Amino acid sequence: MWSTPNFVYKVLIWILLARQSSAIKYKFSLENEDVFTNCPNKPSNVLNVSGLFDTSESTFKTDFVSVRFSGNLTCAWNIQPGDRIQISVQLNRFDRGSWQPTVFNMHVRDFCASLYEKEQYWYKFWSKYIINKEQVREKCILPGTKFIHEPFDVDLLLEAQGLPLIGQHKLVYTFKAFDTNGVERETSICFEMLGEFQRL
Ligand SMILES: *[C@@H]1O[C@H](CO)[C@@H](O)[C@H](O)[C@H]1NC(C)=O
Ligand SMILES: *[C@@H]1O[C@H](CO)[C@@H](O)[C@H](O)[C@H]1NC(C)=O
């Protein structure tokens, strides 16, 4: 559990301020046609992206410049009403034969509270394209909830200062659920997106 209040609702390091003139804009180009890959070496209670979403009504099409997504995602993770969903996204870089963490990471203590907030990173590249927001808003990602999307290009943009982001990177997404007593649910979710950054 994140006990430091500083972590609460912090989405910040991730989207460094656009106003900083020295920031470099990047687009994350996915390496894998399947978009999502499994986190390596996880115990069996850590589910992959299929544990989060049923993607049977959706398609990802890539022309190796962009990935175009269309269709529906149906939530599959067996969480309960009232659970708090905590997510983290960590950017790792492949360096001298192994994956190393970078300074880019994001922790969100209560994902459901901010799923449709316009300032959020995921809103810009995902949840703003959900057509039936109003119908599913209250359900967050409870099992059976179906997100119906207008087709969109998966554009993962990042602005960063400092050293250029060169070479192979991966975004590691982790979802954890906690019941109303703060006890973590038995299963969690982990999946990755592999790719490289292109300067825009
Ligand atoms: C995700 O996990 C399920 C169950 O372990 C497995 O059947 C499925 O092939 C996995 N998906 C991918 C993309 O590897
Ligand atoms: C998405 O869900 C809607 C509503 O259930 C359905 O009408 C539509 O056919 C689904 N789209 C696909 C690609 O299955």
Side-chain angles (χ1 to χ4, degrees):
M1 275 196 65
W2 302 108
S3 48
T4 330
N6 278 353
F7 279 118
V8 176
Y9 300 115
K10 260 207 180 165
V11 190
L12 296 179
I13 314 171
W14 192 244
I15 315 165
L16 295 173
L17 292 175
R19 264 164 273 140
Q20 292 172 322
S21 55
S22 55
I24 302 171
K25 283 188 188 174
Y26 297 94
K27 179 181 165 167
F28 191 62
S29 295
L30 297 166
E31 170 185 303
N32 202 308
E33 242 180 297
D34 293 333
V35 181
F36 302 110
T37 51
N38 296 340
C39 297
N41 309 320
K42 293 289 181 192
S44 61
N45 66 322
V46 181
L47 311 177
N48 62 23
V49 72
S50 315
L52 182 62
F53 291 128
D54 171 354
T55 54
S56 59
E57 290 186 342
S58 59
T59 51
F60 291 91
K61 278 196 188 138
T62 177
D63 55 6
F64 296 102
V65 178
S66 304
V67 175
R68 191 154 184 84
F69 174 87
S70 63
N72 308 324
L73 291 174
T74 304
C75 301
W77 189 19
N78 184 24
I79 54 170
Q80 303 296 319
D83 282 4
R84 176 172 65 80
I85 309 302
Q86 175 176 293
I87 71 166
S88 75
V89 186
Q90 170 72 49
L91 179 67
N92 291 355
R93 185 167 80 102
F94 198 69
D95 186 22
R96 281 166 282 178
S98 65
W99 288 103
Q100 305 292 336
T102 69
V103 296
F104 298 100
N105 61 78
M106 172 170 108
H107 298 284
V108 181
R109 192 175 177 277
D110 189 352
F111 177 65
C112 291
S114 50
L115 181 51
Y116 299 104
E117 278 178 8
K118 293 191 169 60
E119 308 75 47
Q120 302 293 351
Y121 191 67
W122 53 81
Y123 186 82
K124 291 171 205 201
F125 79 85
W126 171 53
S127 51
K128 79 169 174 188
Y129 301 105
I130 298 173
I131 298 167
N132 60 334
K133 288 184 193 70
E134 291 316 316
Q135 289 92 297
V136 298
R137 189 180 289 270
E138 295 304 316
K139 300 196 181 99
C140 188
I141 54 170
L142 284 173
T145 306
K146 188 194 263 196
F147 299 117
I148 303 173
H149 302 80
E150 57 181 292
F152 65 96
D153 286 335
V154 182
D155 273 331
L156 300 166
L157 302 176
L158 172 72
E159 296 193 24
Q161 288 184 300
L163 291 175
L165 300 169
I166 293 172
Q168 199 186 21
H169 285 75
K170 68 179 182 182
L171 290 160
V172 183
Y173 295 81
T174 310
F175 287 64
K176 291 180 175 178
F178 297 88
D179 70 15
T180 46
N181 296 317
V183 178
E184 188 175 345
R185 296 282 178 202
E186 200 180 324
T187 55
S188 64
I189 309 281
C190 185
F191 57 88
E192 304 179 339
M193 292 168 112
L194 277 81
E196 293 198 6
F197 287 97
Q198 289 179 335
R199 264 181 95 144
L200 295 178

